[in-house]
Amino acid sequence: MDIAIRPIGPAEHEILGGITAEAYLGDGLLDFGADDPYLERLRDVTRRAAEAEVLVAADSRGRVLGGVTYAPPGNPWCDIAAADEAEFRMLAVSREARGAGAGEALVRACIDRARSTAGVRGIVLSTQAGMHGAHRIYRRLGFERTPERDWYPVPSVPLLTYRLELRPMP
């Protein structure tokens, strides 16, 4: 599948919000299902795009397959990043596009952005234990688990953390 990574357009906010919400709901990642308060934050792509960088993976016809929120150091969307780290979050791919490379392409785009930012030495993320497909992508791309940084945004939701040390591009 031909996949292009690009910044999201305003007309795509609702589409990506739906994909993200469905990914989390469909995979059983929200403790309170459709009543989970985090669901509204997942759907609010307009806010994310105003405060951070939202990237989408699109097929050759321009159809949005998934997206991710990239936060450079110091951005309000960073949860665990140190001053010399970028962070990404809310990586989601539509069910029908999974396994075609969209998720990995989105993660690679975040790595490239972090690598091209002066002073950034690493990129970090938080993930749930059940996100096995995403964990495979992170390991394949060289991310390492950082259990000392694991955290709980709410008492019932433990988040695992990963970090990739960035080496300068040759």
Side-chain angles (χ1 to χ4, degrees), residues 7-13 16 41 43-55 68-72 74-78 90:
I8 193 167
E12 298 166 324
H13 290 185
L16 181 58
R41 193 161 166 97
R43 284 190 172 117
D44 192 356
V45 177
T46 299
R47 178 177 173 198
R48 284 192 269 151
E51 297 175 353
E53 184 177 359
V54 178
L55 303 172
V68 67
T69 299
Y70 171 79
N75 185 276
W77 284 85
C78 289
M90 298 179 180

Side-chain angles (χ1 to χ4, degrees), residues 35-147:
D35 294 325
D36 197 297
Y38 193 57
L39 193 56
E40 191 52 43
R41 193 161 166 97
L42 292 170
R43 284 190 172 117
D44 192 356
V45 177
T46 299
R47 178 177 173 198
R48 284 192 269 151
E51 297 175 353
E53 184 177 359
V54 178
L55 303 172
V56 293
D59 66 14
S60 59
R61 297 180 318 213
R63 183 176 59 108
V64 174
L65 306 172
V68 67
T69 299
Y70 171 79
N75 185 276
W77 284 85
C78 289
D79 282 326
I80 63 166
D84 64 348
E85 294 173 330
E87 186 168 341
F88 69 88
R89 51 189 298 190
M90 298 179 180
L91 173 67
V93 175
S94 67
R95 188 154 312 282
E96 51 280 351
R98 289 184 183 180
E104 184 169 330
L106 286 161
V107 174
R108 286 182 183 278
C110 290
I111 294 168
D112 290 345
R113 278 166 174 67
R115 187 172 275 132
S116 68
T117 303
V120 175
R121 298 175 37 143
I123 186 167
V124 296
L125 65 103
S126 300
T127 183
Q128 291 184 8
M131 296 177 165
H132 303 293
H135 299 173
R136 284 190 294 277
I137 293 171
Y138 306 147
R139 286 190 302 271
R140 186 168 47 250
L141 296 179
F143 283 82
E144 295 182 3
R145 275 278 291 121
T146 52

